[in-house]
């Protein structure tokens, strides 16, 4: 099965782990794909951590990845900003998100043309006030994603980046100009270019229909949808109720 697939792209929250807890047998699924000669990558809309920090987190769960195998909406936002020629950004998000921009030579500034909004668990009114000042001056507002909520520890629903974007949009009275993360297939485009892959050679594995699966389908990748619910019609995607079921096919 999946002979034409060269690379498998795993979503992280709700697919590989919940909070700091690895989902049962996720490591075995990754390992099995590697034994079959597939390249394995991870993607996340979560821009809180840098790619290196995600590697460290995965390593703590016994999953070894290189930084270059991790794709986050924060990294994609920095690549997008570089492509657009922006020299500085105002980051309404974590220090790790600032670092992604700094690594590509884009510095943080209070008076930048662009404001980037990322998920931040230390989000507060003061940070929103500061971001509003920057956003009132800026030409462009970029959101790392607009996810409403995501599965945290014990699958508890946690407010996502959409809450931070919504707070800024609400105080600013206008919408963000561009949304980087899933379901925008920008991340897939970056992966195809950097890893020299064709879209039909990628298999996306994810637990959110509206982001992971729609992105894969829109871009022309194959996909596996992990869901216990029967509500959504999966189209041409395969559905499993738990990631460990994938082992039965490989
Ligand atoms: Mg997920």
């Amino acid at each position: 099965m999946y002979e034409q697939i060269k690379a498998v792209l795993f979503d992280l929250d709700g697919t590989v782990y919940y909070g700091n807890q690895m989902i049962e047998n996720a490591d075995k699924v990754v390992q099995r794909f590697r034994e079959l000669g597939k390249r394995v990558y991870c993607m996340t809309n979560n821009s809180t951590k840098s790619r290196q920090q995600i590697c460290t987190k995965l390593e703590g769960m016994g999953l070894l990845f290189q930084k270059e195998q991790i794709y986050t909406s924060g990294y994609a936002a920095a690549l997008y900003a570089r492509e657009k020629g922006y020299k500085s950004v105002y980051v309404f998000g974590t220090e790790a998100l600032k670092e992604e921009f700094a690594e590509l030579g884009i510095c943080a500034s209070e008076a930048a043309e662009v404001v980037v909004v990322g998920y931040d668990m230390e989000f507060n009114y003061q940070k929103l006030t500061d971001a509003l000042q920057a956003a009132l001056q800026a030409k462009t507002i970029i959101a790392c994603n607009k996810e409403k909520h995501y599965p945290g520890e014990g699958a508890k629903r946690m407010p996502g980046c959409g809450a931070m974007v919504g707070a800024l949009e609400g105080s600013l009275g206008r919408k963000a100009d561009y949304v980087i993360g899933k379901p925008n297939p920008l991340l897939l485009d970056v992966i195809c270019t950097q890893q020299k892959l064709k879209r039909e050679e990628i298999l996306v594995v994810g637990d959110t229909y509206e982001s992971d699966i729609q992105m894969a389908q829109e871009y022309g990748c194959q996909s596996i949808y992990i869901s216990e619910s029967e509500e959504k019609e999966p189209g041409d995607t395969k559905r499993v109720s738990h990631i460990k079921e994938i082992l039965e096919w490989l």
Side-chain angles (χ1 to χ4, degrees):
M1 201 166 181
Y2 297 124
E3 289 83 7
Q4 74 277 42
I5 293 299
K6 287 188 179 169
V8 186
L9 178 61
F10 286 90
D11 164 59
L12 289 172
D13 286 299
T15 299
V16 171
Y17 51 61
Y18 285 128
N20 287 317
Q21 192 73 45
M22 188 181 71
I23 293 172
E24 185 193 358
N25 283 348
D27 53 344
K28 291 201 175 76
V29 176
V30 168
Q31 183 60 24
R32 187 73 191 111
F33 274 120
R34 283 180 171 156
E35 284 165 6
L36 291 167
K38 314 297 185 194
R39 287 183 264 159
V40 178
Y41 303 101
C42 293
M43 62 166 172
T44 178
N45 259 356
N46 193 329
S47 59
T48 321
K49 289 185 163 62
S50 67
R51 289 169 296 150
Q52 190 55 55
Q53 287 171 327
I54 289 172
C55 282
T56 306
K57 176 173 176 173
L58 287 167
E59 196 180 341
M61 298 173 182
L63 283 161
L64 295 182
F65 280 89
Q66 304 290 318
K67 177 180 157 186
E68 293 71 25
Q69 296 168 322
I70 309 290
Y71 289 89
T72 70
S73 63
Y75 174 55
L79 286 172
Y80 177 80
R82 185 174 70 176
E83 195 185 297
K84 292 281 172 192
Y86 298 125
K87 299 282 182 275
S88 64
V89 291
Y90 181 91
V91 175
F92 179 31
T94 61
E95 286 302 314
L97 180 56
K98 277 184 200 164
E99 279 168 32
E100 293 289 4
F101 285 87
E103 270 190 40
L104 297 184
I106 303 163
C107 60
S109 164
E110 299 292 313
E113 275 176 276
V114 195
V115 172
V116 178
V117 189
Y119 176 68
D120 182 5
M121 286 181 86
E122 283 159 27
F123 165 84
N124 61 38
Y125 192 79
Q126 186 58 51
K127 285 186 178 181
L128 176 61
T129 306
D130 295 342
L132 176 61
Q133 311 315 304
L136 285 167
Q137 315 269 336
K139 281 196 200 127
T140 309
I141 313 293
I142 296 174
C144 282
N145 69 78
K146 283 194 168 182
E147 225 162 59
K148 295 189 285 290
H149 45 72
Y150 71 95
E153 208 83 51
K156 182 179 181 180
R157 304 309 300 187
M158 307 295 287
C161 190
M164 281 114 233
V165 178
L168 186 62
E169 285 180 344
S171 49
L172 197 56
R174 74 176 184 93
K175 298 279 181 197
D177 300 286
Y178 192 72
V179 184
I180 296 283
K182 301 177 276 184
N184 183 347
L186 178 74
L187 270 173
L188 288 173
D189 222 20
V190 169
I191 293 167
C192 279
T193 307
Q194 289 192 352
Q195 307 296 343
K196 300 188 169 36
L197 287 161
K198 297 194 185 92
R199 44 190 83 194
E200 61 274 18
E201 292 170 342
I202 299 176
L203 172 68
V204 172
V205 181
D207 70 311
T208 306
Y209 189 84
E210 296 75 14
S211 58
D212 305 313
I213 307 306
Q214 280 191 355
M215 172 187 76
Q217 289 180 339
E218 190 183 314
Y219 199 70
C221 298
Q222 296 194 49
S223 55
I224 298 177
Y225 176 39
I226 303 168
S227 170
E228 287 178 16
S229 133
E230 299 286 318
E231 284 166 32
K232 293 276 183 194
E233 175 53 52
D236 60 354
T237 187
K238 294 204 179 306
R239 190 211 305 262
V240 291
S241 57
H242 191 285
I243 191 168
K244 64 185 178 186
E245 287 173 32
I246 297 173
L247 287 171
E248 294 165 18
W249 303 343
L250 304 174

